Amino acid sequence: MTATSAGTADFPHPAIAGKLEALAARDRQAVIASLLEQDSTRVDRFKAEAAGWRLDFSRHLLQDESAATLLELAADARVLEDRDALFSASPLNHTEGRAVLHTLLRAQAPPPGLEREYAEVAECKSRMGQWVQRVHDGSHVGHRGQRISTIVNIGIGGSDLGPRMVVEALGGFRVPGIDVRFCANVDPADLNAVLTGLDPHSTLFIVCSKTLRTEETLYNARSARQWMLDAGIPEDGLAQHFLAVSTNLEAAREFGIPAANILPMWDWVGGRYSLWSAIGWSIAFAIGMPRFEELLAGADAMDQHFHSAEARDNMPLWLSLLEIWYVNFMGAQVHAVIPYQQQLARLPAFLQQLSMESNGKSVNHSGQALGYATAPILWGDVGTNGQHSFHQLLHQGTVLCPVDFVLITGDTGASEGKSRLLANGLSQMRALMLGRDLVASQRSLTARGTDAERAAELAPHLVIPGNRPSSTLSCEALTPYSLGALLALYEHKTFCSGRIWQINSFDQWGVELGKEMGAEIFAALDGSGQRFDPSTDAALAGIRHD
Ligand code: F6P
């Protein structure tokens, strides 16, 4: 299988791009296993370490000269110079005229010039922690005096994916007696499933919406409110059961949530970068504020690494350069993240918004259409499950799909299952790299008793091309700290790629049109009579049973 060069017309830094095109033509013919066999130092050079994580990128179609040229590209693009903007109030999000300061949410000390913002974050975290404490110690109770036993987060996108993933990933760190559930979809089936079995009198809702204009969240918040009223909780008793997080404090108050129950968000935090803010309130309820602070500390450790490490040793930068290499020079249009850790099952879903809502763009900073590829389709699922669903394509398909395997390597002695999990992860990386040729396939058939003639017929079907690239991200244990560092790693990878592609990674204008059309079509379902296009009109007629 050979990758074709992606659209690199008018790729920035043309001289370096030309070199990379030529190097890619050579590296497409490389044999990864041979690169490792011929150079015993490769596995020690094609690695980066930070905040307890180790990145092994030795199993790639990438030779030394290509790696060095990618570093030249990063230098020419001034990626590491630009990273300072993530730690200052410069309007990195230029189409919305906003700074990008999610790093401030986890900063362990006020960055110069951001003392006011740092103080606001600290004050918000203090109020967040007081509520968590009061619910945990029972000093905050429901309208009828019952302790709160269930937190329901109502939010979608960045107001759901991050908190939901972190709460699931850190299941081993849960505070006893507190169940945390998430509702995101406007489909009533979502909220109905979440509310099933709950006692309204011991349920606390957190309405999370940076804008508080998101129709799904507003609809679900209204439905939850009605559920409480139907349970006999009076209007003036609702305040004990509703919290909110938003930049839109007025809308929260209009919904009937008192100011004391509302925590602020800031427009310098993008939704997909917001789990570190009060949007992560559900996380703090689930694992307690000290553990939430550990999550922040892990992210801050990765921030410090990203902010100070030289390019050669910079882990987020290497993840980004590998993305640029495969997308823009090796022709890949997809990228898989496969965590071999059940608690990280929702990591790919979180990374989809982070990567594809940030870098799924096709115009540059000046609004000019791009002639080159940007964000690939990020997908994935947990291992070993994927081995029994999509790994067939990874091994014998026709798609070039670089894979990030995420491994938690500690406590293998804890159980046979954990050892089997890691053995499977390592074997998948090895099989992707080595494959199995025709002779070995034939031999494997005869070894299981297939006669020679049949074996000769079948062998081509068992050939595994191999030479398929993957990285390994590994750490000793999945803790709040290590998870925070991992998520910050991918945030900074996303930043680096956006800078090299010269796009704005922090707006999301592409989601607006669908929302606008949704409002019109919703009105048409109610009989507004508006006509659209033959396909939509036919669908509407069918739904309305015209
Ligand atoms: O889909 C666009 C988007 O604005 C995301 O960026 C955001 O995370 C999500 O919708 C929810 O937005 P809000 O937190 O404002 O409800």
Side-chain angles (χ1 to χ4, degrees):
M1 175 197 66
T2 54
T4 53
S5 68
T8 49
D10 74 14
F11 188 83
H13 324 288
I16 297 177
K19 273 178 70 178
L20 287 168
E21 279 277 11
L23 290 167
R26 183 199 64 181
D27 287 7
R28 275 190 206 97
Q29 310 310 319
V31 177
I32 299 169
S34 303
L35 295 177
L36 282 164
E37 275 163 27
Q38 290 157 11
D39 176 355
S40 61
T41 68
R42 181 180 171 90
V43 76
D44 281 330
R45 290 184 298 106
F46 283 61
K47 81 172 184 197
E49 293 177 326
W53 285 90
R54 183 178 188 279
L55 168 65
D56 170 7
F57 58 101
S58 62
R59 298 187 312 278
H60 278 283
L61 292 163
L62 182 77
Q63 301 193 63
D64 286 72
E65 191 180 353
S66 310
T69 308
L70 285 170
L71 289 175
E72 280 179 42
L73 173 64
D76 211 46
R78 298 180 56 76
V79 176
L80 296 189
E81 290 75 6
D82 288 353
R83 70 187 157 183
D84 292 343
L86 282 175
F87 302 88
S88 71
S90 58
L92 203 52
N93 178 359
H94 68 291
T95 63
E96 295 179 298
R98 294 172 179 171
V100 175
L101 281 172
H102 44 278
T103 56
L104 184 66
L105 298 169
R106 59 243 190 170
Q108 305 295 301
L114 294 171
E115 290 80 4
R116 177 177 59 80
E117 291 84 353
Y118 181 84
E120 287 176 12
V121 170
E123 201 269 337
C124 177
K125 264 198 296 191
S126 169
R127 291 179 56 208
M128 189 174 162
Q130 289 163 24
W131 269 100
V132 170
Q133 185 55 47
R134 289 204 301 263
V135 166
H136 284 175
D137 68 20
S139 51
H140 175 80
V141 292
H143 173 69
R144 280 204 186 144
Q146 285 177 234
R147 287 186 73 140
I148 299 299
S149 59
T150 305
I151 304 291
V152 176
N153 185 88
I154 297 177
I156 197 166
S159 297
D160 166 74
L161 288 165
R164 188 193 294 248
M165 177 269 301
V166 171
V167 167
E168 181 166 312
L170 299 179
F173 296 88
R174 294 296 292 272
V175 168
I178 291 285
D179 180 20
V180 179
R181 301 186 183 190
F182 294 86
C183 167
N185 200 332
V186 74
D187 181 341
D190 193 3
L191 183 62
N192 292 343
V194 165
L195 297 180
T196 298
L198 293 189
D199 175 359
H201 299 286
S202 56
T203 300
L204 179 64
F205 291 95
I206 312 175
V207 180
C208 282
S209 176
K210 184 179 170 187
T211 59
L212 257 184
R213 285 196 294 272
T214 305
E215 72 163 311
E216 297 93 334
T217 301
L218 294 175
Y219 174 77
N220 281 323
R222 290 194 299 271
S223 304
R225 191 172 187 278
Q226 191 56 52
W227 181 72
M228 298 295 272
L229 293 171
D230 294 347
I233 294 171
E235 289 267 359
D236 63 4
L238 290 177
Q240 286 165 263
H241 295 273
F242 278 88
L243 304 174
V245 183
S246 186
T247 58
N248 193 341
L249 303 186
E250 192 45 43
R253 279 193 285 273
E254 280 166 17
F255 183 79
I257 300 174
N261 295 31
I262 304 169
L263 289 181
M265 270 271 282
W266 299 276
D267 67 11
W268 37 261
V269 180
R272 52 195 174 273
Y273 297 89
S274 65
L275 71 88
W276 321 98
S277 71
I279 290 289
W281 215 348
S282 54
I283 301 169
F285 278 116
I287 64 175
M289 206 61 190
R291 295 287 195 191
F292 183 75
E293 292 285 2
E294 288 171 20
L295 180 79
L296 300 181
D300 181 63
M302 186 58 75
D303 292 347
Q304 299 315 312
H305 164 77
F306 176 55
H307 202 186
S308 60
E310 295 300 320
R312 179 75 194 85
D313 304 318
N314 200 296
M315 190 183 284
L317 180 62
W318 273 120
L319 282 184
S320 166
L321 291 176
L322 286 166
E323 179 171 59
I324 300 295
W325 178 243
Y326 282 108
V327 165
N328 295 107
F329 297 96
M330 299 291 275
Q333 293 180 308
V334 293
H335 171 223
V337 177
I338 304 179
Y340 269 72
Q341 184 77 10
Q342 185 60 36
Q343 292 95 323
L344 291 175
R346 295 198 55 81
L347 177 66
F350 167 77
L351 293 176
Q352 283 184 326
Q353 185 195 17
L354 175 62
S355 177
M356 296 198 280
E357 194 169 76
S358 294
N359 290 341
K361 311 285 171 67
S362 52
V363 298
N364 66 15
H365 290 134
S366 311
Q368 294 155 329
L370 303 179
Y372 50 85
T374 55
I377 293 174
L378 190 150
W379 64 287
D381 199 349
V382 69
T384 60
N385 301 25
Q387 295 170 211
H388 304 274
S389 75
F390 52 76
H391 281 224
Q392 164 61 40
L393 178 140
L394 292 179
H395 288 292
Q396 287 188 324
T398 57
V399 176
L400 172 62
C401 180
V403 180
D404 290 358
F405 286 96
V406 182
L407 299 186
I408 309 298
T409 57
D411 67 43
T412 40
S415 75
E416 178 189 334
K418 179 71 179 179
S419 297
R420 287 182 180 277
L421 177 69
L422 291 173
N424 271 276
L426 295 179
S427 64
Q428 290 298 310
M429 303 168 199
R430 184 167 155 75
L432 284 171
M433 175 174 67
L434 295 182
R436 179 174 59 192
D437 65 16
L438 189 65
V439 171
S441 299
Q442 206 156 337
R443 195 176 300 132
S444 123
L445 284 161
T446 50
R448 63 185 91 164
T450 308
D451 68 74
E453 184 183 349
R454 180 65 178 147
E457 282 171 8
L458 279 179
H461 299 275
L462 275 75
V463 169
I464 309 275
N467 216 32
R468 301 199 167 183
S470 67
S471 298
T472 311
L473 274 166
S474 59
C475 83
E476 177 70 17
L478 182 58
T479 64
Y481 186 96
S482 65
L483 181 62
L486 178 69
L487 303 182
L489 167 64
Y490 275 99
E491 286 180 344
H492 297 319
K493 168 208 172 179
T494 304
F495 166 82
C496 292
S497 292
R499 298 309 291 177
I500 292 171
W501 286 323
Q502 296 186 348
I503 58 180
N504 181 351
S505 299
F506 302 102
D507 60 13
Q508 52 284 321
W509 298 106
V511 302
E512 300 306 319
L513 179 60
K515 293 179 182 179
E516 289 158 20
M517 289 182 171
E520 292 174 333
I521 290 178
F522 177 67
L525 277 174
D526 267 358
S528 71
Q530 184 176 349
R531 298 185 65 75
F532 300 91
D533 59 80
S535 171
T536 305
D537 293 341
L540 282 167
I543 292 167
R544 288 188 303 239
H545 304 299
D546 290 357

PDB file of all heavy atoms in Angstrom, residues 158-177:
ATOM      1  N   GLY A 158     -18.168  20.652  24.355  1.00  0.00           N
ATOM      2  CA  GLY A 158     -17.152  20.846  25.381  1.00  0.00           C
ATOM      3  C   GLY A 158     -17.732  20.933  26.777  1.00  0.00           C
ATOM      4  O   GLY A 158     -17.022  20.792  27.767  1.00  0.00           O
ATOM      5  N   SER A 159     -19.040  21.123  26.895  1.00  0.00           N
ATOM      6  CA  SER A 159     -19.690  21.148  28.212  1.00  0.00           C
ATOM      7  C   SER A 159     -20.135  19.770  28.640  1.00  0.00           C
ATOM      8  O   SER A 159     -20.906  19.614  29.595  1.00  0.00           O
ATOM      9  CB  SER A 159     -20.881  22.113  28.170  1.00  0.00           C
ATOM     10  OG  SER A 159     -20.411  23.421  27.908  1.00  0.00           O
ATOM     11  N   ASP A 160     -19.690  18.770  27.888  1.00  0.00           N
ATOM     12  CA  ASP A 160     -20.052  17.378  28.205  1.00  0.00           C
ATOM     13  C   ASP A 160     -18.878  16.430  28.007  1.00  0.00           C
ATOM     14  O   ASP A 160     -18.510  15.678  28.894  1.00  0.00           O
ATOM     15  CB  ASP A 160     -21.218  16.930  27.307  1.00  0.00           C
ATOM     16  CG  ASP A 160     -21.442  15.430  27.321  1.00  0.00           C
ATOM     17  OD1 ASP A 160     -21.959  14.905  28.331  1.00  0.00           O
ATOM     18  OD2 ASP A 160     -21.048  14.766  26.334  1.00  0.00           O
ATOM     19  N   LEU A 161     -18.258  16.471  26.843  1.00  0.00           N
ATOM     20  CA  LEU A 161     -17.302  15.431  26.455  1.00  0.00           C
ATOM     21  C   LEU A 161     -16.112  15.313  27.408  1.00  0.00           C
ATOM     22  O   LEU A 161     -15.726  14.212  27.793  1.00  0.00           O
ATOM     23  CB  LEU A 161     -16.804  15.706  25.030  1.00  0.00           C
ATOM     24  CG  LEU A 161     -17.818  15.447  23.916  1.00  0.00           C
ATOM     25  CD1 LEU A 161     -17.349  16.085  22.617  1.00  0.00           C
ATOM     26  CD2 LEU A 161     -18.067  13.957  23.736  1.00  0.00           C
ATOM     27  N   GLY A 162     -15.545  16.464  27.783  1.00  0.00           N
ATOM     28  CA  GLY A 162     -14.405  16.441  28.692  1.00  0.00           C
ATOM     29  C   GLY A 162     -14.780  15.939  30.068  1.00  0.00           C
ATOM     30  O   GLY A 162     -14.233  14.931  30.550  1.00  0.00           O
ATOM     31  N   PRO A 163     -15.744  16.592  30.732  1.00  0.00           N
ATOM     32  CA  PRO A 163     -16.146  16.099  32.054  1.00  0.00           C
ATOM     33  C   PRO A 163     -16.580  14.636  32.046  1.00  0.00           C
ATOM     34  O   PRO A 163     -16.188  13.849  32.919  1.00  0.00           O
ATOM     35  CB  PRO A 163     -17.294  17.032  32.427  1.00  0.00           C
ATOM     36  CG  PRO A 163     -17.016  18.298  31.681  1.00  0.00           C
ATOM     37  CD  PRO A 163     -16.397  17.877  30.396  1.00  0.00           C
ATOM     38  N   ARG A 164     -17.376  14.256  31.046  1.00  0.00           N
ATOM     39  CA  ARG A 164     -17.850  12.863  30.996  1.00  0.00           C
ATOM     40  C   ARG A 164     -16.682  11.879  30.873  1.00  0.00           C
ATOM     41  O   ARG A 164     -16.617  10.870  31.564  1.00  0.00           O
ATOM     42  CB  ARG A 164     -18.821  12.693  29.819  1.00  0.00           C
ATOM     43  CG  ARG A 164     -19.542  11.346  29.768  1.00  0.00           C
ATOM     44  CD  ARG A 164     -20.232  11.141  28.435  1.00  0.00           C
ATOM     45  NE  ARG A 164     -21.322  12.046  28.162  1.00  0.00           N
ATOM     46  CZ  ARG A 164     -22.619  11.655  28.096  1.00  0.00           C
ATOM     47  NH1 ARG A 164     -22.942  10.404  28.333  1.00  0.00           N
ATOM     48  NH2 ARG A 164     -23.570  12.525  27.808  1.00  0.00           N
ATOM     49  N   MET A 165     -15.748  12.215  29.997  1.00  0.00           N
ATOM     50  CA  MET A 165     -14.582  11.326  29.794  1.00  0.00           C
ATOM     51  C   MET A 165     -13.728  11.244  31.052  1.00  0.00           C
ATOM     52  O   MET A 165     -13.302  10.170  31.471  1.00  0.00           O
ATOM     53  CB  MET A 165     -13.769  11.845  28.606  1.00  0.00           C
ATOM     54  CG  MET A 165     -12.493  11.108  28.287  1.00  0.00           C
ATOM     55  SD  MET A 165     -11.044  11.804  29.159  1.00  0.00           S
ATOM     56  CE  MET A 165     -11.063  13.470  28.560  1.00  0.00           C
ATOM     57  N   VAL A 166     -13.486  12.398  31.698  1.00  0.00           N
ATOM     58  CA  VAL A 166     -12.635  12.405  32.889  1.00  0.00           C
ATOM     59  C   VAL A 166     -13.306  11.643  34.035  1.00  0.00           C
ATOM     60  O   VAL A 166     -12.659  10.841  34.733  1.00  0.00           O
ATOM     61  CB  VAL A 166     -12.301  13.849  33.309  1.00  0.00           C
ATOM     62  CG1 VAL A 166     -11.612  13.866  34.676  1.00  0.00           C
ATOM     63  CG2 VAL A 166     -11.420  14.529  32.270  1.00  0.00           C
ATOM     64  N   VAL A 167     -14.594  11.846  34.224  1.00  0.00           N
ATOM     65  CA  VAL A 167     -15.297  11.133  35.314  1.00  0.00           C
ATOM     66  C   VAL A 167     -15.209   9.627  35.087  1.00  0.00           C
ATOM     67  O   VAL A 167     -14.921   8.852  36.005  1.00  0.00           O
ATOM     68  CB  VAL A 167     -16.761  11.604  35.418  1.00  0.00           C
ATOM     69  CG1 VAL A 167     -17.580  10.670  36.313  1.00  0.00           C
ATOM     70  CG2 VAL A 167     -16.824  13.038  35.953  1.00  0.00           C
ATOM     71  N   GLU A 168     -15.344   9.212  33.832  1.00  0.00           N
ATOM     72  CA  GLU A 168     -15.253   7.771  33.540  1.00  0.00           C
ATOM     73  C   GLU A 168     -13.813   7.293  33.713  1.00  0.00           C
ATOM     74  O   GLU A 168     -13.556   6.248  34.295  1.00  0.00           O
ATOM     75  CB  GLU A 168     -15.732   7.487  32.123  1.00  0.00           C
ATOM     76  CG  GLU A 168     -15.691   6.007  31.763  1.00  0.00           C
ATOM     77  CD  GLU A 168     -16.478   5.680  30.497  1.00  0.00           C
ATOM     78  OE1 GLU A 168     -17.639   6.118  30.369  1.00  0.00           O
ATOM     79  OE2 GLU A 168     -15.910   4.970  29.634  1.00  0.00           O
ATOM     80  N   ALA A 169     -12.858   8.101  33.248  1.00  0.00           N
ATOM     81  CA  ALA A 169     -11.451   7.668  33.301  1.00  0.00           C
ATOM     82  C   ALA A 169     -10.976   7.534  34.739  1.00  0.00           C
ATOM     83  O   ALA A 169     -10.147   6.688  35.058  1.00  0.00           O
ATOM     84  CB  ALA A 169     -10.574   8.666  32.553  1.00  0.00           C
ATOM     85  N   LEU A 170     -11.517   8.363  35.621  1.00  0.00           N
ATOM     86  CA  LEU A 170     -11.052   8.385  37.022  1.00  0.00           C
ATOM     87  C   LEU A 170     -12.042   7.683  37.943  1.00  0.00           C
ATOM     88  O   LEU A 170     -12.190   8.035  39.117  1.00  0.00           O
ATOM     89  CB  LEU A 170     -10.791   9.834  37.458  1.00  0.00           C
ATOM     90  CG  LEU A 170      -9.710  10.552  36.647  1.00  0.00           C
ATOM     91  CD1 LEU A 170      -9.545  11.996  37.133  1.00  0.00           C
ATOM     92  CD2 LEU A 170      -8.375   9.812  36.728  1.00  0.00           C
ATOM     93  N   GLY A 171     -12.677   6.662  37.421  1.00  0.00           N
ATOM     94  CA  GLY A 171     -13.647   5.902  38.218  1.00  0.00           C
ATOM     95  C   GLY A 171     -13.023   5.329  39.485  1.00  0.00           C
ATOM     96  O   GLY A 171     -13.679   5.157  40.502  1.00  0.00           O
ATOM     97  N   GLY A 172     -11.724   5.094  39.435  1.00  0.00           N
ATOM     98  CA  GLY A 172     -11.052   4.527  40.608  1.00  0.00           C
ATOM     99  C   GLY A 172     -10.812   5.540  41.712  1.00  0.00           C
ATOM    100  O   GLY A 172     -10.314   5.189  42.781  1.00  0.00           O
ATOM    101  N   PHE A 173     -11.165   6.788  41.446  1.00  0.00           N
ATOM    102  CA  PHE A 173     -10.896   7.839  42.439  1.00  0.00           C
ATOM    103  C   PHE A 173     -12.181   8.475  42.951  1.00  0.00           C
ATOM    104  O   PHE A 173     -12.181   9.571  43.475  1.00  0.00           O
ATOM    105  CB  PHE A 173      -9.994   8.906  41.798  1.00  0.00           C
ATOM    106  CG  PHE A 173      -8.636   8.389  41.408  1.00  0.00           C
ATOM    107  CD1 PHE A 173      -8.438   7.813  40.157  1.00  0.00           C
ATOM    108  CD2 PHE A 173      -7.565   8.429  42.297  1.00  0.00           C
ATOM    109  CE1 PHE A 173      -7.203   7.309  39.798  1.00  0.00           C
ATOM    110  CE2 PHE A 173      -6.320   7.927  41.940  1.00  0.00           C
ATOM    111  CZ  PHE A 173      -6.141   7.363  40.691  1.00  0.00           C
ATOM    112  N   ARG A 174     -13.300   7.747  42.770  1.00  0.00           N
ATOM    113  CA  ARG A 174     -14.593   8.341  43.089  1.00  0.00           C
ATOM    114  C   ARG A 174     -14.815   8.530  44.579  1.00  0.00           C
ATOM    115  O   ARG A 174     -14.380   7.708  45.399  1.00  0.00           O
ATOM    116  CB  ARG A 174     -15.712   7.429  42.538  1.00  0.00           C
ATOM    117  CG  ARG A 174     -15.743   7.351  41.022  1.00  0.00           C
ATOM    118  CD  ARG A 174     -16.052   8.701  40.420  1.00  0.00           C
ATOM    119  NE  ARG A 174     -17.438   9.073  40.730  1.00  0.00           N
ATOM    120  CZ  ARG A 174     -18.460   8.708  39.947  1.00  0.00           C
ATOM    121  NH1 ARG A 174     -18.243   7.980  38.873  1.00  0.00           N
ATOM    122  NH2 ARG A 174     -19.680   9.048  40.254  1.00  0.00           N
ATOM    123  N   VAL A 175     -15.507   9.598  44.926  1.00  0.00           N
ATOM    124  CA  VAL A 175     -15.964   9.833  46.303  1.00  0.00           C
ATOM    125  C   VAL A 175     -17.178   8.928  46.532  1.00  0.00           C
ATOM    126  O   VAL A 175     -18.109   8.935  45.730  1.00  0.00           O
ATOM    127  CB  VAL A 175     -16.366  11.318  46.481  1.00  0.00           C
ATOM    128  CG1 VAL A 175     -17.113  11.517  47.786  1.00  0.00           C
ATOM    129  CG2 VAL A 175     -15.143  12.205  46.394  1.00  0.00           C
ATOM    130  N   PRO A 176     -17.193   8.136  47.605  1.00  0.00           N
ATOM    131  CA  PRO A 176     -18.335   7.239  47.819  1.00  0.00           C
ATOM    132  C   PRO A 176     -19.648   8.020  47.973  1.00  0.00           C
ATOM    133  O   PRO A 176     -19.651   9.143  48.484  1.00  0.00           O
ATOM    134  CB  PRO A 176     -17.985   6.520  49.132  1.00  0.00           C
ATOM    135  CG  PRO A 176     -16.536   6.751  49.362  1.00  0.00           C
ATOM    136  CD  PRO A 176     -16.193   8.043  48.686  1.00  0.00           C
ATOM    137  N   GLY A 177     -20.711   7.398  47.506  1.00  0.00           N
ATOM    138  CA  GLY A 177     -22.039   7.962  47.782  1.00  0.00           C
ATOM    139  C   GLY A 177     -22.480   9.031  46.807  1.00  0.00           C
ATOM    140  O   GLY A 177     -23.568   9.594  46.942  1.00  0.00           O
TER     141      GLY A 177
END
